[in-house]
Amino acid sequence: MVESVPMTREGYNKIKAEIHRLENVEMPLVTEKIAEAREEGDLKENAEYHAQRENQGMLMAKINELKDKVARASIIDPSKLPKDEVVFGCTVTVEDVAYGDEEQFTLVGAGDEDYDAGKILVTSPFGQGLLGKKVGEVAEVDVPAGKIKFKILKISFEI
């Protein structure tokens, strides 16, 4: 079974726009650079040609990855989800049980993630560990070093 990728309508539109940009702006530029490098002669020893071919392959892989996410997209309307537990779209304040540190995370779908801003994928191991928990409960998250426990302090939703 192919796993769906939860996302908001905005995240979906953002990914679609990125696919459009990559296919209609970036790919033609790379194709043009390949043609220019090809005109320089012997392709066996043409480093520019080989570099641009590699760029083309990486760009195509990125486009295919984004298209796969869009194909498996499951559009979620956060307004229809429960408000008393950790769910897609909520902002959760947690306390690291071992160290007492407080952190805040927003569980988002593909296309909306921004790890520097605390927006983490709901499908990530950390996001999955928090899902379904209520204020006061402790979530255990598996990490390479073992398990980390987080106490749920607050759940809120952006309006």
Side-chain angles (χ1 to χ4, degrees):
M1 183 173 125
V2 177
E3 195 173 317
S4 69
V5 179
M7 61 181 74
T8 60
R9 175 60 62 190
E10 292 80 23
Y12 179 85
N13 292 340
K14 187 176 172 183
I15 292 174
K16 291 286 282 186
E18 179 67 2
I19 291 169
H20 181 77
R21 185 187 72 77
L22 292 174
E23 287 182 330
N24 297 300
V25 176
E26 297 297 323
M27 190 59 83
L29 287 174
V30 171
T31 303
E32 189 176 303
K33 288 179 182 178
I34 289 173
E36 289 171 7
R38 184 178 286 137
E39 292 173 3
E40 292 178 15
D42 186 13
L43 297 182
K44 287 182 184 176
E45 297 179 18
N46 189 331
E48 181 64 22
Y49 173 78
H50 293 288
Q52 292 306 325
R53 290 288 300 191
E54 187 175 329
N55 285 344
Q56 184 182 41
M58 290 189 309
L59 186 59
M60 199 65 228
K62 178 69 174 176
I63 291 169
N64 288 337
E65 176 190 346
L66 293 174
K67 283 183 174 183
D68 177 60
K69 281 184 182 179
V70 167
R72 296 184 297 129
S74 173
I75 306 298
I76 306 290
D77 181 358
S79 68
K80 295 184 176 156
L81 297 174
K83 303 295 183 210
D84 64 338
E85 65 183 57
V86 178
V87 293
F88 178 87
C90 78
T91 298
V92 59
T93 304
V94 297
E95 177 185 350
D96 185 321
V97 173
Y99 299 103
D101 298 337
E102 272 190 34
E103 295 184 66
Q104 191 174 59
F105 302 100
T106 302
L107 299 182
V108 298
D112 290 327
E113 67 268 25
D114 181 355
Y115 299 103
D116 294 334
K119 293 182 176 187
I120 62 170
L121 286 173
V122 70
T123 55
S124 70
F126 188 71
Q128 291 293 299
L130 296 175
L131 278 180
K133 301 294 184 215
K134 297 183 180 207
V135 173
E137 292 184 343
V138 174
E140 290 187 5
V141 179
D142 289 318
V143 295
K147 287 188 185 282
I148 300 177
K149 294 181 180 182
F150 292 96
K151 183 175 182 180
I152 309 300
L153 300 177
K154 180 181 172 189
I155 300 168
S156 61
F157 292 84
E158 294 179 15
I159 298 172

